[in-house]
Amino acid sequence: MTEIKLSEMRDLTRIERIGAHSHIRGLGLDSVLEPRVSSEGMVGQTSARKAAGVIVKMVQEGKIAGRAVLLAGQPGTGKTAIAMGMAKSLGQETPFAMMAGSELFSLEMSKTEALMQAFRKAIGVRIKEETEIIEGEVVEIQIDRPAVSGAASKTGKLTLKTTEMETVYDLGAKMIEALGKEKVQSGDVIAIDKASGKITKLGRSFSRSRDYDAMGPQTKFVQCPDGELQKRKEVVHCVTLHEIDVINSRTQGFLALFTGDTGEIRAEVREQIDTKVAEWREEGKAEIVPGVLFIDEVHMLDIECFSFLNRALENDMAPILVVATNRGITTIRGTNYKSPHGIPIDFLDRLLIISTQPYTEEEIRKILDIRSQEEDVEMSEDAKVLLTKIGIDTSLRYAIHLITSAALACQKRKGKIVEMEDISRVYQLFYDVKRSTQYLMEYQSQYMFSDVSVGEEVEDEANAMVS
């Protein structure tokens, strides 16, 4: 019989994917927007993080909209990490949409329509509405079940109280089912929406805090509501303009949000929605929440897209546009002209440019420590020193990729801590860009359609990237 080791058993109830930026929790700034050396998964890039923090603060206070920011720097200097940190710092209330520049050319719609949809995803609408609710502490639930199955449906009575009054309500089959689904019992504080009949359990009354048998580790205690049982309450819904567009433009309505098959949305639909949202704003029923649209690989956009962005940023309801690129002076796609970062000069003039710098040896070491913790890999001090040296000589991304590979090599030799020999083994197994290019140059005559002049250019580029 095969022996099962406890160490190899995994908890399948909670599945977490470790991504390239899953360790990022925010921008790592203090209350006065000063960057900490290492905080919330962010290391180094202090000036870039501080600048991003200022943008985030202005977005949260609603003082900035229709502006554009460029994150420019060499590959592997943390541009996408800063954008992810901005998204985490903004929180759930502020819309944050992400896309890569190359995505526009693989969608079944025009480039400008895809950009417009991305813009609308980054603009939130906070809709306020008043609803009548019944809020109180459950005193007693009585349910009369029919003696014979198939007879009349179940009926019952629900007794609710506040600090000032107590009332008995008659229950129908739907309400009994809803109470059962929420597992409501006497002593719970609940809220019932009169319009929809939705029941929300707010917590358990403090008066029942000594009922140990009815308590669990997650039990939340709340005060018994005061005043009348029936009251009017303001409910706030946060949706994006794109979600409103989709619901109003297709026969299947909101189901299109789940299928992803939104297709092109007609300009007339958007105009009607913008007019309606403007009316709600005047009446005080809604407010616009300008969010952030992040476009990575912005050099992949062509001249048509840049012309569209130029115009779109002048709109009243434009979000903050954050773009990132790792290119220097290169050709603007769709033209024969060269420009810094492959961006037209007129659009570049609109951008606030944040520059990222290469990481120092100490910063690379800290990033590798954070990634080792994130990937749950225990590593010896000597192995960390070697991995840091590899990160300096090759690239930070290559060094990060070796962490999990080295952990597997360690597991293969039945070790518990990753040692230098594991790092050396995976370093020999997997080539970095520089060694791969050198190998190609050495054996290029054995490859099909080899071009010596192109090969020399590629080698120069690879050496430039590493240095």
Side-chain angles (χ1 to χ4, degrees):
M1 188 174 174
T2 310
E3 186 185 342
I4 299 173
K5 294 181 183 176
L6 290 174
S7 61
E8 293 177 359
M9 292 178 69
R10 294 182 181 181
D11 181 12
L12 295 177
T13 57
R14 189 169 63 94
I15 299 172
E16 288 183 2
R17 286 200 64 189
I18 298 169
H21 300 100
S22 55
H23 62 286
I24 304 294
R25 308 278 183 267
L27 284 169
L29 305 173
D30 60 19
S31 56
V32 290
L33 300 182
E34 283 297 324
R36 302 185 188 97
V37 178
S38 175
S39 176
E40 295 182 320
M42 297 294 284
V43 176
Q45 304 296 353
T46 50
S47 59
R49 284 195 283 143
K50 187 172 183 178
V54 172
I55 298 291
V56 165
K57 192 72 176 172
M58 288 194 287
V59 171
Q60 287 172 334
E61 292 177 0
K63 291 181 179 177
I64 182 172
R67 305 288 178 85
V69 179
L70 170 65
L71 295 169
Q74 299 167 27
T77 52
K79 297 181 292 297
T80 309
I82 288 170
M84 293 295 292
M86 289 175 75
K88 299 280 184 183
S89 301
L90 286 166
Q92 296 293 326
E93 287 291 301
T94 308
F96 188 95
M98 288 185 74
M99 70 180 303
S102 51
E103 278 180 44
L104 297 177
F105 302 94
S106 58
L107 296 171
E108 294 179 357
M109 62 179 79
S110 67
K111 292 171 287 188
T112 52
E113 172 64 21
L115 278 171
M116 178 55 86
Q117 289 194 14
F119 258 68
R120 308 275 286 188
K121 283 176 187 173
I123 304 166
V125 184
R126 198 176 283 132
I127 302 166
K128 302 170 190 171
E129 63 174 3
E130 279 196 346
T131 181
E132 281 196 6
I133 62 163
I134 299 168
E135 192 175 81
E137 181 187 331
V138 178
V139 178
E140 188 183 12
I141 303 173
Q142 290 180 339
I143 297 171
D144 303 323
R145 291 178 174 82
V148 184
S149 59
S153 57
K154 290 185 283 187
T155 57
K157 293 185 185 297
L158 172 68
T159 310
L160 290 177
K161 71 166 187 178
T162 64
T163 52
E164 296 175 18
M165 62 184 293
E166 186 174 310
T167 309
V168 179
Y169 294 95
D170 290 327
L171 297 175
K174 282 188 179 178
M175 286 301 291
I176 291 170
E177 189 183 336
L179 288 166
K181 196 178 285 184
E182 289 293 323
K183 297 178 182 172
V184 175
Q185 55 186 337
S186 57
D188 289 340
V189 177
I190 63 169
I192 304 170
D193 188 333
K194 283 188 76 176
S196 63
K198 186 186 174 187
I199 295 172
T200 307
K201 196 194 285 192
L202 304 176
R204 192 139 181 87
S205 173
F206 273 114
S207 61
R208 302 296 186 101
S209 60
R210 295 190 179 276
D211 294 356
Y212 299 111
D213 58 331
M215 281 171 55
Q218 304 300 322
T219 305
K220 177 186 170 187
F221 288 101
V222 293
Q223 293 285 357
C224 179
D226 54 3
E228 293 191 1
L229 276 161
Q230 290 193 41
K231 53 190 81 170
R232 294 186 71 82
K233 194 174 183 181
E234 191 178 77
V235 180
V236 179
H237 306 285
C238 291
V239 291
T240 66
L241 279 177
H242 176 67
E243 287 168 349
I244 301 173
D245 291 345
V246 172
I247 290 165
N248 286 279
S249 69
R250 295 186 67 85
T251 51
Q252 64 261 48
F254 73 93
L255 291 175
L257 292 171
F258 301 103
T259 60
D261 179 29
T262 55
E264 296 209 7
I265 295 166
R266 288 179 293 117
E268 302 82 43
V269 173
R270 289 202 177 105
E271 283 173 16
Q272 288 170 7
I273 288 164
D274 289 348
T275 307
K276 194 66 184 173
V277 169
E279 283 177 22
W280 289 342
R281 284 172 72 185
E282 285 177 14
E283 293 168 10
K285 289 181 180 176
E287 58 181 291
I288 296 294
V289 185
V292 175
L293 170 61
F294 174 59
I295 303 178
D296 209 351
E297 304 170 358
V298 72
H299 52 266
M300 292 298 293
L301 301 185
D302 61 14
I303 193 71
E304 292 173 27
C305 296
F306 286 120
S307 300
F308 174 82
L309 290 175
N310 251 329
R311 180 73 187 85
L313 284 171
E314 293 173 356
N315 197 307
D316 293 342
M317 293 195 291
I320 309 299
L321 177 66
V322 179
V323 296
T325 180
N326 56 20
R327 299 297 167 95
I329 295 171
T330 186
T331 307
I332 302 167
R333 196 168 177 180
T335 71
N336 296 320
Y337 298 103
K338 289 196 172 183
S339 177
H341 314 298
I343 300 171
I345 297 295
D346 60 336
F347 185 66
L348 205 57
D349 193 40
R350 287 179 179 270
L351 303 173
L352 295 168
I353 301 172
I354 299 173
S355 180
T356 57
Q357 306 300 323
Y359 289 109
T360 63
E361 183 177 344
E362 188 185 346
E363 287 167 352
I364 288 173
R365 170 63 188 268
K366 282 180 181 173
I367 291 166
L368 292 172
D369 281 343
I370 291 167
R371 288 303 303 179
S372 297
Q373 288 175 7
E374 180 72 14
E375 296 178 28
D376 202 16
V377 174
E378 226 176 313
M379 202 176 287
S380 70
E381 196 63 28
D382 291 341
K384 286 179 181 177
V385 170
L386 177 58
L387 196 60
T388 306
K389 189 176 186 310
I390 290 170
I392 296 162
D393 293 342
T394 58
S395 71
L396 175 60
R397 283 175 179 160
Y398 175 71
I400 288 171
H401 289 154
L402 293 184
I403 294 172
T404 304
S405 308
L408 291 169
C410 172
Q411 194 179 337
K412 183 78 175 171
R413 65 173 178 82
K414 297 183 179 173
K416 291 186 178 177
I417 298 175
V418 173
E419 301 288 352
M420 282 180 69
E421 60 181 286
D422 302 313
I423 302 289
S424 301
R425 179 169 169 73
V426 294
Y427 180 73
Q428 289 163 4
L429 283 172
F430 303 105
Y431 280 16
D432 58 275
V433 176
K434 190 177 179 181
R435 284 186 295 155
S436 178
T437 309
Q438 285 171 349
Y439 179 86
L440 277 176
M441 290 297 295
E442 192 175 340
Y443 296 100
Q444 65 180 329
S445 59
Q446 296 174 26
Y447 284 81
M448 291 180 67
F449 312 118
S450 60
D451 188 332
V452 179
S453 59
V454 173
E456 287 170 355
E457 286 175 18
V458 170
E459 186 177 25
D460 292 340
E461 283 182 21
N463 289 333
M465 277 178 69
V466 172
S467 60

